[in-house]
C-alpha cells in the first residue's frame, strides 16, 4: 500500500544545485529532506569544469575543490579544422569529476543536518499540491519543494521546449601525452552542429563531453559513426582519441540550451538546469547550479514558500545575459561561416575570448 507523509522542505536531486540548497537550509537550522535517484555517486553527462565563480560558490558552502584534487586550469584552447587559438581565462578554474564533486557536496549536506535518501526516484509532481510520488509508491507532500533533477524531465513539471541537443560524455584513461597537452587548460573543439570539450580530472583521467544537434546524430545513425565523422572533420580531436578510442558514452537525449524557467508555483523552486540551461561551451553550468540552489534556499529562509514565484522571476532575469551570450556563441560556433569568422577574430585578438568568458557568468544579485 502506498504511504504518504507531510514534510517541511523536500529537495529532489542531489547534484550541485540540490546539495547547495540542502547545505544552506541545514546550516540555518532547518531539516531539509534531500532525495537522490542514484544510490552511489556517478559522473554526470555534463560538468567537470569549475569556473572561478563555481569555486567561490563551493568555498561559501565549505567545499575546497583543491582538497578534492581538482586540476588547476588557467586558460582555454579553441580548435577548429583550420585554426587553433589560446587565451587566458578571467580567473583560476578547475577540473574535477562530477563523481568526486557530487559525493563531497551530498556528504556536506548530510553533515550539516539534511536528511539524505539515495536510490529513490521521483516519478511525478502535482505542482498545485506539491505532492511528489516516488518509485516505491510513497507520496510526500512538502511545504517547499526544490526541483533539482538536472537535465531530466519530471512528470507534472516537465520543461516546455522544442529544440534541443544531445549530450554525450565519456572518460579517457590517463596518459602522459594527454596530460601534457591539456595541462592547465580546457580544450574546446568546434565542428558543424556541435563541439567537444576535454579537461583533466583529479585522477589524471580526461573528461570528454560532446554536444551535437539531434539532426546530426540522427544523420550519422549512431555514436560510433558520428565519432568517425568528427575524426575526419577535427584532426586534433582525432589525435586526442587515437590512443584509446572511447567504448562507451553516457547520454542525455534532450538538452535545451538557452531555456529558462518562465515562472513557478507557490512553494516550488526550480534550481540548476531546471531554472536555466547555459551552453556547456561557456562552462558555467556548475556555477549556475550552485548559485541557484543557494539563492533559492536563502529566499525560502527570508520569506517562506510564497517567495518561490518572485525568486524564479528574479533568477530568470539574472541568468538572461550570460545564457543569451553563451547561446549566441554556441550557434555561431556550430555554423561554418560564423565559426570561421569567430576563429579569425579570436586569432587576431585572443583577449576577446577572455572577455566573452567573463560575459557568460551570472552575477550574484
Amino acid at each position: 500500500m502506498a504511504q504518504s507523509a507531510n514534510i517541511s522542505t523536500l529537495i529532489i536531486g542531489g547534484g550541485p544545485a540540490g546539495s547547495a540548497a540542502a547545505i544552506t537550509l541545514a546550516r540555518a537550522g532547518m531539516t531539509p529532506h534531500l532525495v537522490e535517484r542514484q544510490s552511489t555517486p556517478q559522473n554526470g553527462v555534463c560538468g567537470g569544469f569549475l569556473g572561478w565563480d563555481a569555486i567561490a560558490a563551493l568555498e561559501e558552502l565549505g567545499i575546497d575543490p583543491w582538497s578534492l584534487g581538482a586540476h588547476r586550469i588557467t586558460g582555454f584552447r579553441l580548435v577548429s579544422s583550420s585554426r587553433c587559438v589560446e587565451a587566458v581565462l578571467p580567473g583560476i578554474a578547475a577540473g574535477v569529476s562530477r563523481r568526486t564533486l557530487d559525493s563531497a557536496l551530498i556528504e556536506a549536506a548530510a553533515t550539516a543536518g539534511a536528511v539524505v535518501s539515495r536510490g529513490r526516484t521521483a516519478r511525478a509532481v502535482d505542482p498545485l499540491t506539491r505532492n511528489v510520488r516516488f518509485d516505491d509508491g510513497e507520496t510526500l507532500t512538502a511545504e517547499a519543494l526544490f526541483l533539482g533533477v538536472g537535465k531530466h524531465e519530471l512528470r507534472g513539471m516537465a520543461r516546455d521546449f522544442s529544440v534541443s541537443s544531445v549530450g554525450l560524455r565519456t572518460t579517457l584513461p590517463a596518459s602522459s601525452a594527454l596530460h601534457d597537452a591539456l595541462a592547465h587548460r580546457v580544450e574546446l573543439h568546434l565542428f558543424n552542429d556541435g563541439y567537444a570539450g576535454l579537461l583533466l580530472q583529479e585522477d589524471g583521467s580526461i573528461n570528454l563531453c560532446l554536444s551535437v544537434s539531434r539532426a546530426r546524430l540522427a544523420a550519422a545513425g549512431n555514436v560510433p559513426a558520428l565519432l568517425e565523422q568528427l575524426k575526419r572533420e577535427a584532426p586534433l580531436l582525432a589525435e586526442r582519441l587515437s590512443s584509446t578510442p572511447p567504448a562507451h558514452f553516457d547520454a542525455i537525449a534532450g538538452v535545451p540550451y538557452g531555456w529558462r524557467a518562465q515562472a513557478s508555483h507557490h512553494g516550488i523552486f526550480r534550481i540548476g538546469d531546471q531554472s536555466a540551461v547555459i551552453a556547456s561551451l561557456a562552462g558555467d553550468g556548475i556555477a549556475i547550479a550552485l548559485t541557484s540552489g543557494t539563492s533559492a534556499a536563502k529566499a525560502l529562509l527570508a520569506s517562506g514558500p510564497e517567495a518561490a514565484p518572485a525568486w524564479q522571476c528574479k533568477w530568470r532575469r539574472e541568468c538572461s545575459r550570460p545564457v543569451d551570450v553563451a547561446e549566441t556563441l554556441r550557434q555561431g560556433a556550430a555554423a561554418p561561416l560564423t565559426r570561421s569568422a569567430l576563429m579569425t577574430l579570436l586569432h587576431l585578438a585572443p583577449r576577446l575570448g577572455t572577455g566573452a568568458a567573463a560575459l557568460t557568468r551570472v552575477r550574484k544579485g
Side-chain angles (χ1 to χ4, degrees):
M1 181 180 296
Q3 297 178 337
S4 62
N6 296 330
I7 59 176
S8 173
T9 306
L10 175 62
I11 303 168
I12 306 175
S19 291
I23 293 169
T24 303
L25 294 172
R27 283 181 172 178
M30 295 184 67
T31 308
H33 288 243
L34 174 64
V35 179
E36 164 56 35
R37 66 189 183 93
Q38 299 288 356
S39 57
T40 59
Q42 305 290 320
N43 278 323
V45 172
C46 299
F49 178 83
L50 302 178
W52 48 99
D53 50 347
I55 292 173
L58 285 170
E59 290 173 345
E60 182 180 334
L61 294 168
I63 304 292
D64 175 16
W66 310 115
S67 69
L68 302 178
H71 174 74
R72 183 183 178 93
I73 298 174
T74 57
F76 67 91
R77 179 184 293 130
L78 203 59
V79 185
S80 70
S81 60
S82 59
R83 284 193 185 275
C84 180
V85 176
E86 297 199 19
V88 298
L89 289 168
I92 302 299
V96 66
S97 68
R98 282 291 303 275
R99 182 194 303 270
T100 295
L101 177 64
D102 290 8
S103 179
L105 281 164
I106 207 166
E107 181 179 338
T111 300
V115 177
V116 176
S117 299
R118 301 197 64 126
R120 299 183 66 197
T121 301
R123 294 300 186 189
V125 173
D126 184 333
L128 299 180
T129 62
R130 297 178 300 286
N131 291 337
V132 182
R133 179 170 56 83
F134 290 89
D135 53 354
D136 58 3
E138 183 180 21
T139 298
L140 295 178
T141 301
E143 296 177 17
L145 175 63
F146 289 76
L147 190 62
V149 294
K151 293 179 173 63
H152 300 280
E153 304 304 322
L154 187 57
R155 182 176 300 176
M157 292 294 293
R159 294 166 297 177
D160 181 18
F161 60 89
S162 56
V163 179
S164 64
S165 299
V166 177
L168 302 164
R169 193 212 68 84
T170 192
T171 300
L172 304 179
S175 76
S176 58
L178 285 175
H179 183 278
D180 292 344
L182 299 174
H184 304 303
R185 61 178 59 86
V186 59
E187 189 171 87
L188 300 171
H189 296 261
L190 310 181
F191 48 80
N192 291 342
D193 296 325
Y195 50 89
L198 297 98
L199 58 76
L200 286 171
Q201 301 183 131
E202 69 281 358
D203 61 355
S205 64
I206 292 85
N207 187 70
L208 168 62
C209 287
L210 288 168
S211 173
V212 64
S213 70
R214 300 180 72 167
R216 172 144 196 189
L217 179 58
N222 53 49
V223 175
L226 173 66
L227 283 180
E228 290 306 311
Q229 290 180 5
L230 296 182
K231 288 178 182 179
R232 294 191 293 270
E233 189 174 325
L236 186 57
L237 178 60
E239 181 181 325
R240 300 292 189 244
L241 300 177
S242 61
S243 59
T244 308
H248 170 75
F249 278 89
D250 299 316
I252 292 182
V255 183
Y257 291 127
W259 182 90
R260 297 188 299 279
Q262 294 281 355
S264 186
H265 298 269
H266 174 95
I268 298 181
F269 298 84
R270 285 185 175 270
I271 56 178
D273 283 326
Q274 291 293 312
S275 67
V277 185
I278 193 166
S280 52
L281 185 72
D284 207 41
I286 299 295
I288 284 180
L290 294 167
T291 306
S292 64
T294 300
S295 176
K298 289 179 178 178
L300 174 65
L301 291 169
S303 304
E306 60 271 18
W311 175 84
Q312 204 76 61
C313 291
K314 176 177 176 288
W315 180 247
R316 176 182 171 83
R317 291 193 301 270
E318 292 176 358
C319 290
S320 291
R321 188 199 69 182
V323 169
D324 288 345
V325 169
E327 190 61 10
T328 299
L329 293 172
R330 183 185 75 87
Q331 294 181 11
L337 290 178
T338 50
R339 179 170 66 248
S340 177
L342 174 66
M343 292 298 289
T344 299
L345 183 62
L346 291 177
H347 176 74
L348 295 172
R351 288 189 178 184
L352 290 176
T354 305
L359 288 175
T360 58
R361 267 52 207 172
V362 176
R363 297 176 181 175
K364 297 176 70 173

